[in-house]
Amino acid sequence: MNDNERMSDPDLRSKTSSLEHSSQHSSVSAPRRQNADSQNSRRLRSQYPRGSSDNHVEYILVASFDIDRGPVMEHQYPVAITGDENMLAELMLPDQAHARNQDWTIFFLHKDMSDEEEDEERKRKERRRRRRRKRRALAAGIVPSGQDDDNARDSDDEYDDADDDDDDDSDTEPEGGEGPPLIYVLNLVNTKHDKTVKRGAIVKAMAICTRHPFLHIYKPLLLLALEEYFKSPVPETLSMLYDAVNAMDLSLMPKLSLLERHLLLGSENRDLFVEKFERMIQMRMLEDRGESANGNGDHRDHPAEVSRKGTKAHIEVGSQSAYSVPRDTHEFESHVMYKGIPIPIKVPTAVMPETVGDFSLVKLIQNFSEHHAKSPQPFPIHPHLTTSGANTHPIIVLINGLLTQKRIIFLGHNMPSGEVAEAVLAACALASGGVLRGFTRHAFPYTDLTKIDDLLNVPGFIAGVTNPTFELHPEWWDILCDLPSGRIKISSKIEPAPITEGLVYFQQQNAALATIASGTVNNTQDLTGDQAFMADISRSIAARHGERAVRAKWRDWVLKFTRVSAQFEESVYGASALFVGIEEQNMLPPGATGHGYVWSDDGAKNKELAGNVTRIEGWRNTRSYYSFIQVTRCFETSLGQQS
């Protein structure tokens, strides 16, 4: 029975309500653990609560090209985002923008918090710590002095209500990072040909600046707003767009934990977690009637029915359809009222760390795989990069470079800057897999030659450029990914990989594998399994399994790499900071020992470690390595508090 048949069957339709039944698709159940009831009863929260003071869009910028002065910033609304207007204008008007009627660019801005914002952030973290301590005390039966149990719990509930915006879920994304969230900038450039002006064209760009990584949702609005600005180039045009996008209502989009997001992104099930959307609606309906709702969406006094009309479900009150349940829980459907017209917007429900904008891993992999398959070109041997010898797959060379924090350039000569930016975003997601961090903060989806000095001051950057001059300077980069030719090059000026203590120890322990482990010989054996993995990826793409399947496979690859790295550290150094072991060890049957990634025998284990040792050692001194340890410790602490 297909989805449409299931939705239209009246006998099955009544079963879709989550008031009395949980979603029939939520069939995966985890082992029951202590405090499971309290975990399940946790208040359902919105990703973007109604009444929040945070804006979806923080700034709107407009730049134009002046024949005498070059790129010029015309407006920054509602206030200036930075004093360096020339830098912003240059980024908004990429090289050769005048040669195309339209172009998109993406770039990131680092904006420090104000003193007031930093103070508020410290207070928020302290409130979260106090609340967690209080909940642990209540769970252990410890009542604060001067309060009976009921009063203590009432006080705790009031505390929760006052801090609904805070997220105390142990399985959500842990705090960490190197600073405040980036400001993501989506920029549209339009060229209008006009014989009455110099050069015969008017070039203007409009940008939306947001801290939300799904900035691609604003593309239709930028198209309309920039067209309007050409007609009416005044601040009121920007004000109209600013007010419209910030009035967008996303308050009924539930906040999913990190594990729930992984499940949703890896599933083709369009109804997965639909009960959370229904509960959000039911809670809102009670709020609309001025009633209170508990965190479980328990509405036995005022039951609401879920009905389906075609492929869309509705929450009905009486005979009227009050709210709509998403057709596909991967996206939340909303709209922006712009000039009296509702512009439909689809916001991704689950966004993983290091995932920014709309890009395609499939496109990135195909671009560099097809030429390699037809006429492979051997790479110069580099221990960090060529883990399968001179004929290492170019995508593996790329991900090895990302993991070992090399300087990477994506060159797209004569290509729209938007396509180059998408390749950079895809590369960040490729290396992260939703597991590792530290790539997007040092990524430059689009930059130009005027900023080369600033770029070279950033260790391990990932940058997109369109100027072919970059290719002529191998001292500027370690890996060059030429998008038009589909070739990846290793710089002749790249620094050699240092000999580390871990490598020496491993060679001493495994003398028969010492030469292979050095990474300095052209090893044709597939000790890492990378060649088999890339063959599997190619089959998936050829079979049209889709973007979601490919991303899931890469997440598994990155996860495996971290687990193999943990085993390597334990084998060589005796312990690993990469291992989260509290809950896993508690769940082992009596008498069982061991943990982590498992091989059939020690020989197989040592061979795979020998194939990975150089890139593991290259990874162990990078941003993504240390941030992974930080995140791992957050999870370990949370698991310890629950056990």
Side-chain angles (χ1 to χ4, degrees):
M1 178 180 293
N2 61 36
D3 286 343
N4 289 336
E5 291 172 336
R6 176 182 61 78
M7 291 176 179
S8 60
D9 190 319
D11 294 330
L12 292 177
R13 186 176 60 204
S14 62
K15 299 179 183 179
T16 62
S17 174
S18 63
L19 293 173
E20 299 178 355
H21 306 275
S22 62
S23 172
Q24 64 268 38
H25 302 288
S26 303
S27 57
V28 180
S29 59
R32 186 174 180 85
R33 63 187 181 188
Q34 189 173 354
N35 293 337
D37 291 336
S38 64
Q39 294 291 327
N40 291 334
S41 64
R42 185 181 290 118
R43 182 181 178 87
L44 183 63
R45 304 176 191 274
S46 167
Q47 288 195 41
Y48 304 99
R50 186 165 62 171
S52 172
S53 59
D54 295 334
N55 286 328
H56 298 308
V57 170
E58 299 195 15
Y59 305 92
I60 296 175
L61 314 175
V62 175
S64 62
F65 186 83
D66 185 276
I67 190 64
D68 299 315
R69 296 184 293 164
V72 176
M73 181 64 66
E74 290 189 6
H75 295 292
Q76 299 186 59
Y77 186 87
V79 294
I81 189 173
T82 176
D84 193 348
E85 293 189 347
N86 186 60
M87 178 272 293
L88 274 180
E90 288 175 346
L91 286 172
M92 292 174 65
L93 296 162
D95 294 337
Q96 302 299 310
H98 65 276
R100 288 178 287 272
N101 291 332
Q102 186 182 98
D103 196 4
W104 295 91
T105 56
I106 292 173
F107 55 93
F108 304 156
L109 296 175
H110 300 251
K111 188 173 185 295
D112 296 333
M113 291 182 178
S114 65
D115 293 340
E116 293 79 7
E117 289 173 328
E118 288 182 352
D119 186 54
E120 181 59 32
E121 181 70 7
R122 284 194 295 269
K123 291 179 180 178
R124 186 183 66 82
K125 289 181 178 180
E126 179 57 31
R127 288 198 302 268
R128 179 179 294 184
R129 284 193 291 269
R130 288 202 307 268
R131 189 171 61 190
R132 282 177 173 168
R133 288 195 298 266
K134 190 171 187 178
R135 282 184 168 168
R136 289 198 298 273
L138 290 170
I142 302 172
V143 181
S145 176
Q147 292 182 338
D148 59 24
D149 186 67
D150 290 337
N151 287 338
R153 293 183 186 276
D154 289 342
S155 175
D156 187 58
D157 290 339
E158 291 174 5
Y159 199 97
D160 286 348
D161 291 339
D163 293 287
D164 276 351
D165 289 348
D166 289 346
D167 176 20
D168 61 332
D169 292 4
S170 61
D171 51 355
T172 55
E173 184 178 336
E175 292 182 7
E178 304 171 59
L182 294 172
I183 292 182
Y184 307 108
V185 184
L186 176 68
N187 179 63
L188 171 63
V189 189
N190 271 359
T191 300
K192 300 285 188 181
H193 296 282
D194 186 344
K195 295 180 179 179
T196 64
V197 300
K198 292 181 180 180
R199 281 198 176 182
I202 301 173
V203 182
K204 291 186 183 293
M206 182 179 289
I208 274 181
C209 308
T210 175
R211 294 194 190 270
H212 299 334
F214 43 80
L215 70 171
H216 59 281
I217 68 170
Y218 297 113
K219 279 190 173 184
L221 287 156
L222 269 181
L223 287 167
L224 295 172
L226 184 52
E227 192 67 31
E228 182 68 20
Y229 186 83
F230 269 99
K231 300 174 185 175
S232 181
V234 294
E236 288 73 17
T237 302
L238 308 186
S239 173
M240 181 170 57
L241 174 63
Y242 182 84
D243 293 340
V245 292
N246 284 317
M248 177 173 58
D249 185 10
L250 302 180
S251 62
L252 292 176
M253 183 162 66
K255 190 166 191 174
L256 303 179
S257 72
L258 188 63
L259 296 179
E260 286 171 339
R261 281 180 277 159
H262 276 305
L263 284 172
L264 184 58
L265 289 173
S267 171
E268 296 290 340
N269 186 349
R270 296 160 65 90
D271 281 350
L272 189 61
F273 301 126
V274 69
E275 69 279 0
K276 291 181 177 290
F277 291 86
E278 294 173 359
R279 283 167 53 197
M280 291 293 296
I281 292 173
Q282 292 158 349
M283 291 165 62
R284 173 62 53 81
M285 291 166 65
L286 285 189
E287 291 176 12
D288 291 345
R289 290 197 294 262
E291 302 174 20
S292 62
N294 63 30
N296 293 318
D298 188 357
H299 313 296
R300 286 167 292 194
D301 294 336
H302 301 278
E305 295 298 329
V306 180
S307 66
R308 293 193 179 271
K309 299 175 182 178
T311 61
K312 195 165 187 177
H314 300 264
I315 300 286
E316 293 191 354
V317 181
S319 60
Q320 295 183 346
S321 176
Y323 295 95
S324 296
V325 180
R327 298 179 178 90
D328 183 350
T329 53
H330 295 86
E331 297 176 325
F332 182 81
E333 298 180 24
S334 185
H335 68 273
V336 171
M337 290 296 297
Y338 182 72
K339 297 185 66 178
I341 302 171
I343 309 299
I345 298 290
K346 290 184 178 180
V347 180
T349 307
V351 178
M352 300 308 300
E354 308 291 305
T355 300
V356 180
D358 188 23
F359 56 83
S360 170
L361 289 191
V362 170
K363 182 179 178 180
L364 178 74
I365 294 167
Q366 282 181 316
N367 192 56
F368 294 108
S369 297
E370 290 176 355
H371 294 279
H372 174 74
K374 293 175 183 176
S375 56
Q377 293 182 356
F379 290 101
I381 298 296
H382 188 282
H384 288 171
L385 305 178
T386 54
T387 45
S388 297
N391 289 318
T392 300
H393 195 285
I395 291 294
I396 297 298
V397 171
L398 172 60
I399 198 168
N400 286 343
L402 290 161
L403 290 172
T404 56
Q405 202 168 293
K406 299 296 186 283
R407 299 172 301 168
I408 298 172
I409 290 284
F410 283 87
L411 173 61
H413 182 45
N414 288 331
M415 291 178 62
S417 58
E419 292 186 25
V420 180
E422 287 177 9
V424 173
L425 299 177
C428 293
L430 186 81
S432 167
V435 176
L436 301 179
R437 320 283 177 91
F439 301 103
T440 54
R441 186 164 286 274
H442 299 85
F444 302 82
Y446 173 76
T447 191
D448 58 37
L449 201 57
T450 64
K451 299 167 187 62
I452 184 62
D453 292 336
D454 293 333
L455 186 66
L456 294 180
N457 287 328
V458 178
F461 61 76
I462 310 126
V465 302
T466 57
N467 194 317
T469 303
F470 282 88
E471 187 173 9
L472 305 177
H473 290 272
E475 70 276 13
W476 290 351
W477 45 268
D478 299 316
I479 296 176
L480 181 81
C481 305
D482 187 63
L483 292 167
S485 70
R487 296 292 185 185
I488 290 179
K489 302 176 183 178
I490 297 176
S491 172
S492 58
K493 305 291 186 180
I494 190 172
E495 291 186 4
I499 297 175
T500 61
E501 290 183 2
L503 172 61
V504 172
Y505 291 161
F506 183 84
Q507 290 175 318
Q508 292 172 348
Q509 295 170 358
N510 302 273
L513 299 170
T515 303
I516 294 176
S518 69
T520 57
V521 297
N522 185 19
N523 174 38
T524 57
Q525 303 179 59
D526 189 21
L527 298 181
T528 60
D530 290 342
Q531 294 178 25
F533 173 74
M534 288 309 304
D536 178 57
I537 289 287
S538 297
R539 286 192 297 269
S540 292
I541 293 174
R544 302 184 182 277
H545 289 169
E547 180 74 13
R548 196 170 290 150
V550 172
R551 293 193 189 192
K553 286 177 183 287
W554 271 107
R555 176 183 181 272
D556 290 344
W557 188 95
V558 173
L559 197 57
K560 176 189 173 184
F561 172 74
T562 63
R563 290 171 174 172
V564 171
S565 299
Q567 186 58 246
F568 169 79
E569 289 185 336
E570 290 193 343
S571 299
V572 171
Y573 299 105
S576 174
L578 304 173
F579 170 60
V580 181
I582 294 176
E583 182 169 312
E584 187 174 338
Q585 289 182 339
N586 288 342
M587 294 175 64
L588 289 174
T593 59
H595 62 269
Y597 198 77
V598 178
W599 287 265
S600 58
D601 54 60
D602 287 341
K605 168 186 170 182
N606 292 332
K607 284 183 178 180
E608 185 157 1
L609 292 182
N612 279 282
V613 59
T614 51
R615 70 175 161 201
I616 291 174
E617 283 292 285
W619 179 54
R620 293 185 67 252
N621 194 32
T622 65
R623 294 181 296 262
S624 64
Y625 174 81
Y626 290 116
S627 65
F628 184 71
I629 290 176
Q630 183 182 13
V631 171
T632 299
R633 286 174 177 169
C634 288
F635 277 124
E636 189 172 33
T637 301
S638 298
L639 292 173
Q641 292 170 356
Q642 295 173 24
S643 61

